[in-house]
Amino acid sequence: MLPDTTASKVTAAHLSRTALLYVRQSSLRQVIHNTESAIRQYDLRGKAIALGWDASQVTVIDIDQGQSGASAADREGFQHLVAEVSLGHAGIVLGLECSRLARNNADWHQLLEICAMTGTLICDEDGLYDPRAFNDRLVLGMKGQISEAELHFIKSLTPTPPSRARSGTCSPPSRPPGRPPPS
């Protein structure tokens, strides 16, 4: 059996529903300074059109700009996207990469499950996925794991705010074994 191609994944049933493009950057600093990322995200609208959606069917959800993907709790746009998928209104969800949608596995896998139940495709810069197909679901699951791990490492590399350092509520950095304390 031949693997699914992009053309065979998109059906008339998908095209009869809305294409949802989710655009998000984690901080206001990124929104202001990383304009290339925003342009790349909005350009995915063209990918939906190239896959067969009419331009009038593409809905851009970009109200979560400047908010972390660590939780869906305060992201109105993500909640709206999940609701639309749950109601069967979406034929495809587009995002630059999985981390734009969710950086925690609970939110990510909930979205994958709902997409699988409603027959909604997921598309990012790397490809087009059908969460009902085992191999696509496997790849999407790994992308979710990597996204959550990235958030963990980003948080671990973030320096302690000076206010916490002055108040003594953070621990000093550890020294490598055998290295004397600074004098």
Side-chain angles (χ1 to χ4, degrees), residues 134-147:
F134 175 78
N135 286 335
D136 287 359
R137 193 175 181 95
L138 182 64
V139 170
L140 289 167
M142 288 189 295
K143 284 180 170 236
Q145 291 281 54
I146 291 167
S147 180

Side-chain angles (χ1 to χ4, degrees), residues 2-12 14-15 47-53 92 94 121-130 136:
L2 295 173
D4 290 334
T5 63
T6 299
S8 68
K9 289 181 184 180
V10 179
T11 67
H14 293 117
L15 295 173
K47 194 162 193 171
I49 294 166
L51 288 169
W53 274 267
I92 190 169
L94 299 105
L121 301 172
I122 296 177
C123 182
D124 65 13
E125 234 181 11
D126 296 330
L128 178 66
Y129 309 95
D130 183 345
D136 287 359

Side-chain angles (χ1 to χ4, degrees), residues 57-81:
Q57 291 178 281
V58 181
T59 300
V60 176
I61 301 172
D62 59 1
I63 60 173
D64 292 340
Q65 291 283 31
Q67 295 185 27
S68 171
S71 170
D74 296 322
R75 292 190 295 140
E76 185 181 330
F78 182 76
Q79 292 172 12
H80 174 70
L81 180 140

Side-chain angles (χ1 to χ4, degrees), residues 89-108:
H89 296 169
I92 190 169
V93 171
L94 299 105
L96 186 63
E97 53 197 35
C98 293
S99 64
R100 301 285 182 230
L101 293 163
R103 278 203 185 263
N104 88 37
N105 278 321
D107 295 337
W108 176 241

